[in-house]
Amino acid sequence: MTLTKTRLTFDQFLNYDFPEEGRYELVNGEIMRIQATRKHDNLADFLTRKLDQEVERLNLNYRVSGRISIRTVTTSGKEQGRVPDVSVVDKNLWDANLSAYTAFIEPLQLAVEIVSTNWEDDYIDKLEEYQRLGISEYWIVDYLAIGSRNYLGNPKEPTIFVYILNEQGIYQPNAYRDTDIIISPTFPELNITVDQVFAA
């Protein structure tokens, strides 16, 4: 659902007076409301909890949240305001300005997107924007296997993709399915399988 008639900048998006509570993104200058299914929220909550537990257990210098906005830029130079389903940000960056909005122009350490019907956003648009911003690690959680066969194979299988930014600034994908343990450079001791995530 689009809320605006005029195209907004990222700063205008951050200061916009939203008519009701909820999650919103700035897409091509327009504010879009994000409406997720309960299963989608269950997966996001599960991953937030698991990653937060790793931060606590290993005393990692990260902050995990599902409410962080990030400014990205498209190939044509348009500002976007993205809100990943799960974000992991360096705690020093978070603590640098505690009175600021939960919005960043700097890259996150890790972003997770849970795929819904607009799967191209996650597989194409956000992947490109997150790569350009320099987000070190990007997960695409496709529990419904609704992405293209080019990504999921034939027959399509529910998959979690972990994209790792290489030294050239290009994402390298790793696909995990079923009982595979998800390998994460940000959380090297993470011990969860794809099946455990999808059962959330």
Side-chain angles (χ1 to χ4, degrees), residues 54-108:
E54 283 297 284
V55 168
E56 292 274 329
R57 187 175 72 85
L58 299 174
N59 197 28
L60 301 173
N61 197 43
Y62 295 130
R63 173 82 157 72
V64 182
S65 175
R67 298 182 304 276
I68 292 177
S69 300
I70 52 172
R71 176 189 171 271
T72 64
V73 179
T74 66
T75 48
S76 62
K78 286 184 188 149
E79 286 186 316
Q80 310 278 65
R82 299 298 192 179
V83 183
D85 292 301
V86 182
S87 296
V88 178
V89 65
D90 185 291
K91 199 161 183 309
N92 293 339
L93 189 58
W94 179 276
D95 291 342
N97 187 356
L98 292 174
S99 63
Y101 292 115
T102 54
F104 292 91
I105 57 172
E106 304 87 354
L108 303 174

Side-chain angles (χ1 to χ4, degrees), residues 140-184:
I140 297 176
V141 179
D142 195 345
Y143 70 102
L144 292 172
I146 56 177
S148 162
R149 284 190 175 87
N150 293 339
Y151 301 102
L152 297 170
N154 189 10
K156 296 197 290 185
E157 292 182 63
T159 304
I160 294 177
F161 292 95
V162 175
Y163 289 83
I164 309 300
L165 205 63
N166 67 17
E167 289 180 3
Q168 291 74 42
I170 305 296
Y171 276 139
Q172 301 300 309
N174 299 287
Y176 300 98
R177 298 180 177 97
D178 305 317
T179 57
D180 292 344
I181 292 174
I182 301 161
I183 306 299
S184 165

Side-chain angles (χ1 to χ4, degrees), residues 7 50-51 53 56 72 77 87 112 118 151 161 170 196:
R7 303 214 176 264
K50 286 295 181 186
L51 299 183
Q53 286 167 4
E56 292 274 329
T72 64
S87 296
V112 178
N118 55 342
Y151 301 102
F161 292 95
I170 305 296
Q196 287 173 313

